[in-house]
Amino acid sequence: MTPDHGPLLYEGKAKRVFAADQPDRVLVEFKNDATAFNALKRAELEGKGRLNCQISARLFEMLEREGVPTHYLGLAAETWMLVQHVDVIPLEVVIRNVATGSLCKQTPIAAGTELSPALLDLYYKDDNLGDPLLSESRLQLLGLISSQQRLEIEQLARRVNQLLLSFFESLDLLLVDFKLELGLNSAGQLLVADEISPDTCRLWDHRNSDPQARILDKDRFRQDLGGVIEAYGEILKRVQGV
Ligand code: TMP
Ligand code: ASP
């Protein structure tokens, strides 16, 4: 089902954003397209849009219940979400609880090392530049955010990490790392935006000790492990409490 929507405002790799009935709201359609390595690898995975939309909805609802401001307003259909319009800050905030992925490619830190406190890094969101990791001085040079906003972003992201870590832990899932995007609404309030899904989180199954079988996130696609939709379906089942 497609809800009534206005014109297409923006199309990204995994979502389309349409105007809604009020200027401060937009409708987001989650697509089945999967991409990795800055879209060098692409596939169409039937059912992924619905799974990520439903998983994100449950996670935004949990964060809202805990008092974290997000752009989420509600579901509009199986693959459609109504959200507050925000000016997205072009930063990807990555929090890592366990070392893996690019951290282990770029540093000698051994895969599997627990990171406590969690490691927080900011990347500049620009596909043409390959979303580069920012140093504090480059962040300042870019002038995208004030030093007050820098602190607020870090506090908010660390709070989201704590809430997601314990929520997933209660579902027998380890939140290895994840990426957040933040935006400012028309009142200037900082909100968690974009999506929180197995496309943007690494999640390992505590019920499975096999290092490949336990992976229930987009690494299944990145590493050609197969069973991507089945893994995302398992995450949805658990976040729904089924
Ligand atoms: P990384 O280890 O490849 O840097 O990824 C860290 C986390 O960020 C991981 O949970 C996947 C997520 N991520 C995105 O959501 N989008 C991206 O473009 C990248 C590179 C990572
Ligand atoms: N999101 C990025 C892409 O679509 C990279 C990734 O998630 O691996 O290419």
Side-chain angles (χ1 to χ4, degrees), residues 196-216:
I196 307 176
S197 74
D199 269 11
T200 63
C201 300
R202 285 195 175 96
L203 294 161
W204 292 352
D205 189 359
H206 281 308
R207 298 176 193 167
N208 202 321
S209 57
D210 180 86
Q212 287 194 343
R214 71 183 174 183
I215 296 172
L216 297 179

Side-chain angles (χ1 to χ4, degrees), residues 95 120 149-159:
I95 294 210
L120 184 148
Q149 282 174 323
R150 168 76 184 83
L151 286 176
E152 271 178 55
I153 288 172
E154 170 146 4
Q155 274 172 7
L156 187 62
R158 288 194 182 278
R159 170 132 175 83

Side-chain angles (χ1 to χ4, degrees), residues 13 37-38 92-96 100-106 123 127 130-131 176-181 194 198-203 217-219 222:
K13 295 194 293 274
F37 313 115
N38 205 11
E92 300 199 344
V93 184
V94 171
I95 294 210
R96 300 173 197 271
T100 190
S102 67
L103 178 64
C104 298
K105 294 203 178 98
Q106 295 164 357
Y123 295 74
D127 283 342
D131 299 338
V176 173
D177 56 29
F178 67 102
K179 182 259 306 182
L180 282 184
E181 291 183 29
D194 194 51
D199 269 11
T200 63
C201 300
R202 285 195 175 96
L203 294 161
D217 57 70
K218 194 158 112 179
D219 272 350
R222 295 187 187 99

Side-chain angles (χ1 to χ4, degrees), residues 97-203:
N97 297 303
V98 176
T100 190
S102 67
L103 178 64
C104 298
K105 294 203 178 98
Q106 295 164 357
T107 71
I109 296 164
T113 305
E114 259 187 60
L115 304 168
S116 184
L119 182 71
L120 184 148
D121 282 316
L122 300 179
Y123 295 74
Y124 183 57
K125 183 178 158 64
D126 185 328
D127 283 342
N128 292 324
L129 299 176
D131 299 338
L133 175 64
L134 292 175
S135 62
E136 290 297 328
S137 46
R138 287 185 186 198
L139 181 66
Q140 272 187 26
L141 186 66
L142 283 171
L144 298 169
I145 49 173
S146 65
S147 41
Q148 179 59 33
Q149 282 174 323
R150 168 76 184 83
L151 286 176
E152 271 178 55
I153 288 172
E154 170 146 4
Q155 274 172 7
L156 187 62
R158 288 194 182 278
R159 170 132 175 83
V160 170
N161 184 42
Q162 280 314 313
L163 291 166
L164 289 177
L165 252 180
S166 45
F167 180 67
F168 283 126
E169 204 55 42
S170 74
L171 307 175
D172 269 348
L173 295 165
L174 172 64
L175 177 64
V176 173
D177 56 29
F178 67 102
K179 182 259 306 182
L180 282 184
E181 291 183 29
L182 301 159
L184 297 168
N185 68 9
S186 54
Q189 188 188 14
L190 187 67
L191 304 179
V192 178
D194 194 51
E195 67 179 282
I196 307 176
S197 74
D199 269 11
T200 63
C201 300
R202 285 195 175 96
L203 294 161

Side-chain angles (χ1 to χ4, degrees), residues 9-76:
L9 301 175
Y10 170 78
E11 178 153 9
K13 295 194 293 274
K15 296 185 288 298
R16 288 187 193 95
V17 179
F18 294 87
D21 54 352
Q22 296 174 30
D24 56 348
R25 298 172 167 208
V26 292
L27 280 158
V28 179
E29 181 190 15
F30 286 66
K31 304 193 289 185
N32 287 333
D33 303 55
T35 64
F37 313 115
N38 205 11
L40 284 176
K41 179 170 178 162
R42 291 169 178 275
E44 172 98 7
L45 299 176
E46 188 64 37
K48 185 179 82 88
R50 181 185 73 85
L51 289 162
N52 277 352
C53 182
Q54 299 293 319
I55 293 167
S56 270
R58 297 288 91 77
L59 296 174
F60 282 135
E61 286 162 9
M62 182 278 289
L63 292 174
E64 289 280 347
R65 277 198 304 276
E66 299 292 339
V68 171
T70 78
H71 71 160
Y72 177 77
L73 294 170
L75 284 169

